[in-house]
Amino acid sequence: MIQHQRSAFSKYVSGLLSAGRTVFTADEAERAMGVSHGAFLDAAERQQCRGALLHPRQGFYVVVPPQYVAWRAPPPASYIDALMRYEGQTYYLGLLKAAELHGATHQAVMEFQVVAGKRFPRIRAGRSLIVFYFRRDVEAVLAGIEEHKTDTGTMRVSSPALTSLDLLRYPQASGGIDNVATVLSDLGPKIDPAQLAALSTRVERPVVQRLGHLLEQLGHDTVPEAMLEALRARGPVPWTELDRQEAGDPDFALEPQRRDPRWRVVVRRAPELDA
């Protein structure tokens, strides 16, 4: 009986791979093989122990193709879209990982960073770590989300404009102000100024102020011009710190080097770009 279950499971997985599929749900597999839920779980667990199957979410499985067995998981890009559709959530690949896809490659990105409209725990998938960042209003920034091709289909990725805003909106995920400035130095020429201005109305004003200041300091003067107009149209602009973390740390806080009157940003230390 166990041998029959193994054979049925192997045939099912082989059939998926032959059809170009690498993901399935427990319900799908049970119906296709005609087995009970318990029998399916036993067979799936054996495949997981062999490194041939990944189980990132309850009821959702990813086949590990032979070329990725040593990694114990295929690249997250190959199944993230299917996983988020299974969860019924709007999402996009963002932050440093999106910047990397757009050509900002100064540093290797260790996390596969996903922004979603629901809080999810991180997933350890073989050599990869999928980390989720919560955004309540994902639907409000759809204009800044692009479809990118993957080996198995497509995935959603933030545009250069949305990526640049998110780098300042999620500082804990961006590696600090020096790293953000380094990434923006590459990303700046690829930003659509009109899209940036439109998306900037969907984020907090201090985020817009910091981004505008940095883009101008990096020499991308014309990119944030429309964004500045949109910012001023929202009403009086209060002063904000360029780096809140440094400003709030009594051991590292410095007297302001300068104040940027256009963006109303207090600069205590100019960011240092990586070579």
Side-chain angles (χ1 to χ4, degrees):
M1 180 63 177
I2 292 178
Q3 185 62 40
H4 172 71
Q5 290 172 1
R6 289 177 181 171
S7 176
F9 199 99
S10 296
K11 288 180 180 178
Y12 176 69
V13 168
S14 297
L16 289 177
L17 291 175
S18 298
R21 286 186 58 192
T22 58
V23 302
F24 64 92
T25 67
D27 289 343
E28 286 180 300
E30 290 162 23
R31 287 195 301 269
M33 292 186 290
V35 299
S36 68
H37 185 59
F40 165 77
L41 291 178
D42 288 343
E45 186 175 358
R46 286 191 290 271
Q47 293 292 321
Q48 289 174 249
C49 291
R50 292 172 50 197
L53 196 64
L54 179 68
H55 184 202
R57 281 286 184 269
Q58 184 173 353
F60 183 88
Y61 293 83
V62 181
V63 179
V64 181
Q67 66 268 34
Y68 295 115
V69 168
W71 294 8
R72 301 189 71 82
S78 68
Y79 58 86
I80 188 64
D81 191 72
L83 174 59
M84 298 311 288
R85 280 191 282 110
Y86 173 75
E87 295 284 1
Q89 292 297 317
T90 303
Y91 81 99
Y92 57 89
L93 182 69
L95 298 157
L96 295 175
K97 198 63 181 177
E100 183 180 74
L101 288 181
H102 291 306
T105 56
H106 273 84
Q107 294 183 348
V109 184
M110 305 307 294
E111 297 178 350
F112 193 82
Q113 298 173 315
V114 177
V115 180
K118 180 181 176 181
R119 300 184 191 276
F120 291 102
R122 58 184 56 195
I123 298 172
R124 170 60 69 181
R127 298 182 180 180
S128 300
L129 181 64
I130 306 175
V131 181
F132 296 89
Y133 295 90
F134 176 65
R135 181 175 205 131
R136 189 184 307 277
D137 61 341
V138 176
E139 299 292 336
V141 295
L142 289 180
I145 300 175
E146 306 172 344
E147 292 282 342
H148 279 235
K149 289 185 178 180
T150 68
D151 292 340
T152 57
T154 62
M155 67 176 173
R156 310 182 86 187
V157 180
S158 60
S159 68
L162 180 55
T163 301
S164 66
L165 287 163
D166 279 352
L167 289 172
L168 276 301
R169 193 168 191 260
Y170 300 89
Q172 76 277 16
S174 304
I177 199 69
D178 294 334
N179 193 53
V180 170
T182 300
V183 173
L184 289 175
S185 67
D186 288 338
L187 205 58
K190 301 175 183 180
I191 296 173
D192 180 333
Q195 185 185 88
L196 180 66
L199 290 171
S200 71
T201 64
R202 303 295 185 176
V203 302
E204 300 83 355
R205 283 187 298 181
V207 169
V208 177
Q209 293 169 250
R210 295 176 190 121
L211 176 60
H213 167 81
L214 286 174
L215 288 174
E216 288 191 353
Q217 294 305 304
L218 292 166
H220 307 304
D221 305 65
T222 61
V223 174
E225 197 62 39
M227 185 172 71
L228 181 58
E229 294 180 13
L231 174 66
R232 289 172 172 168
R234 295 167 70 176
V237 181
W239 285 93
T240 190
E241 295 278 350
L242 176 60
D243 189 332
R244 288 185 304 171
Q245 184 174 5
E246 285 190 0
D249 190 330
D251 292 328
F252 295 98
L254 305 171
E255 288 299 315
Q257 285 188 359
R258 61 180 291 251
R259 294 175 181 268
D260 180 346
R262 267 171 62 81
W263 294 96
R264 296 181 67 80
V265 171
V266 178
V267 182
R268 297 180 184 274
R269 178 184 66 84
E272 298 179 7
L273 276 62
D274 291 343

